[in-house]
């Protein structure tokens, strides 16, 4: 059993999974290419109720083929913060493909602007000059010197 408390709502249900991603995903499946943006300051949360093993397999299969909307009791959220609670003291969690065991409750928060992203198109290639964003320049520029051309 899982309970989700979020700043945009919540749900309590039996489920084989709770998906939490950086920004909401579009469409019905869990497909990274379907995010409209990565810097929206919201989390994308998705889960569906499944009270039997058969339902759990069905929900996972529907999510994999982009038809999660066909499952009963789908819950989506777009909070900036949420807490996932279970009856157990820990939970298996996949982080960027690596499965780890974490103590519950799990707390997720969006931190807009906390991660500096380097645009490969902005790197010097074939005679092009780099375009350095304000956040990156503030981190790598020595005081009193500018790296901008």
């Amino acid at each position: 059993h899982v309970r989700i408390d979020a700043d945009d709502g919540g749900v309590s249900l039996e489920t084989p999974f709770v998906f939490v991603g950086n920004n909401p995903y579009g469409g019905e499946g869990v497909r990274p290419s379907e995010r409209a943006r990565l810097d929206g300051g919201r989390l994308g949360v998705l889960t569906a109720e499944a009270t039997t093993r058969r339902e759990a397999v069905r929900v996972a299969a529907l999510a994999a083929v982009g038809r999660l909307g066909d499952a009963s009791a789908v819950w989506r959220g777009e909070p900036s913060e949420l807490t996932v609670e279970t009856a157990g003291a820990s939970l298996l969690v996949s982080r960027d493909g690596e499965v780890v065991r974490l103590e519950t409750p799990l707390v997720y928060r969006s931190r807009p602007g906390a991660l500096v992203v380097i645009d490969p198109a902005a790197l010097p290639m074939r005679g092009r000059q780099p375009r350095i964003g304000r956040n990156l320049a503030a981190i790598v520029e020595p005081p009193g010197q500018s790296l901008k051309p």
Side-chain angles (χ1 to χ4, degrees):
H1 190 80
V2 174
R3 179 183 160 130
I4 300 171
D5 289 313
D7 58 15
D8 70 340
V11 67
S12 183
L13 74 169
E14 294 293 330
T15 184
F17 75 97
V18 175
F19 176 83
V20 180
N22 181 22
N23 291 284
Y25 284 71
E28 293 295 325
V30 179
R31 297 183 182 175
S33 62
E34 293 183 6
R35 287 183 283 189
R37 57 187 304 166
L38 294 175
D39 61 352
R42 308 301 285 176
L43 299 168
V45 184
L46 181 65
T47 190
E49 187 158 30
T51 56
T52 66
R53 268 183 212 232
R54 182 178 179 166
E55 287 176 340
V57 170
R58 181 173 184 269
V59 165
L62 288 170
V65 297
R67 295 182 41 207
L68 192 56
D70 292 348
S72 60
V74 174
W75 187 83
R76 291 177 183 264
E78 296 184 13
S80 59
E81 183 174 330
L82 78 130
T83 302
V84 178
E85 297 179 85
T86 65
S90 66
L91 197 59
L92 288 174
V93 176
S94 175
R95 288 190 305 199
D96 294 328
E98 179 183 352
V99 178
V100 295
R101 183 168 293 280
L102 298 177
E103 292 181 15
T104 59
L106 304 177
V107 177
Y108 295 87
R109 289 184 190 95
S110 177
R111 295 181 54 207
L115 178 64
V116 175
V117 178
I118 298 173
D119 179 359
L123 297 175
M125 297 169 45
R126 300 188 184 127
R128 292 187 344 212
Q129 294 295 319
R131 296 182 311 253
I132 299 176
R134 282 179 284 168
N135 288 346
L136 179 59
I139 291 172
V140 299
E141 284 182 348
Q145 299 179 21
S146 176
L147 298 177
K148 296 179 183 177

